[in-house]
Amino acid sequence: MSPAATAAQKSPSLARDPAGNLHVVWQDLFSSSLYDLFYARSTNGAVSWTAAKKIPHTTSAYRNPGRVAAASATEIHVVWRESLDAGDDNGDGTLHGRSTDGGASWRVITAPDEWTVLTADRGLSAHFEHTVAVTSA
């Protein structure tokens, strides 16, 4: 999915929304020396995909594999764990990215410490590991 043939792509996570669109997130070395997370979507059964979109983050930490869930064709959620030290689980944090426009833009909300994850209403949230589920309201 990356435009760079030499990029190191790994750890894909795939979700299907209620309309049948496919959403994928993966780790890639395309744009930095640390793995970044990228997102793409297919509306035709994986025949073609949108251009890879980097999911933003605020730290310079190592980004572990992400997990994706799709509530609809436009509301997509991704969670991942970031490690301050790639070889150590100390200082890990679980982050949540949300797109409400089909993956065109992403919002990752953190406290001023750039590590504590906040909910959309700016409340604190708690996470264990990096699993995401989306249920209908």
Side-chain angles (χ1 to χ4, degrees), residues 58 95 108-119 122-124:
T58 57
L95 299 180
V108 179
I109 303 171
T110 59
D113 64 7
E114 297 184 344
W115 195 253
T116 305
V117 177
L118 302 175
T119 58
R122 310 298 272 168
L124 296 175

Side-chain angles (χ1 to χ4, degrees), residues 13-119:
S13 174
L14 185 69
R16 182 176 178 263
D17 68 39
N21 301 307
L22 298 174
H23 305 266
V24 65
V25 63
W26 70 96
Q27 288 178 292
D28 203 324
L29 286 174
F30 173 63
S31 64
S32 77
S33 61
L34 291 173
Y35 279 102
D36 283 316
L37 293 177
F38 287 84
Y39 165 84
R41 175 179 68 172
S42 174
T43 59
N44 58 10
V47 172
S48 63
W49 294 86
T50 60
K53 178 75 174 176
K54 182 178 169 182
I55 298 174
H57 53 87
T58 57
T59 69
S60 60
Y62 177 83
R63 282 153 299 287
N64 290 280
R67 301 293 178 257
V68 63
S72 69
T74 57
E75 184 179 348
I76 301 106
H77 298 264
V78 175
V79 294
W80 68 95
R81 196 179 81 217
E82 290 194 358
S83 304
L84 294 177
D85 179 351
D88 188 352
D89 284 340
N90 295 326
D92 284 1
T94 300
L95 299 180
H96 169 250
R98 179 177 182 229
S99 175
T100 57
D101 57 10
S105 64
W106 291 88
R107 185 168 179 188
V108 179
I109 303 171
T110 59
D113 64 7
E114 297 184 344
W115 195 253
T116 305
V117 177
L118 302 175
T119 58

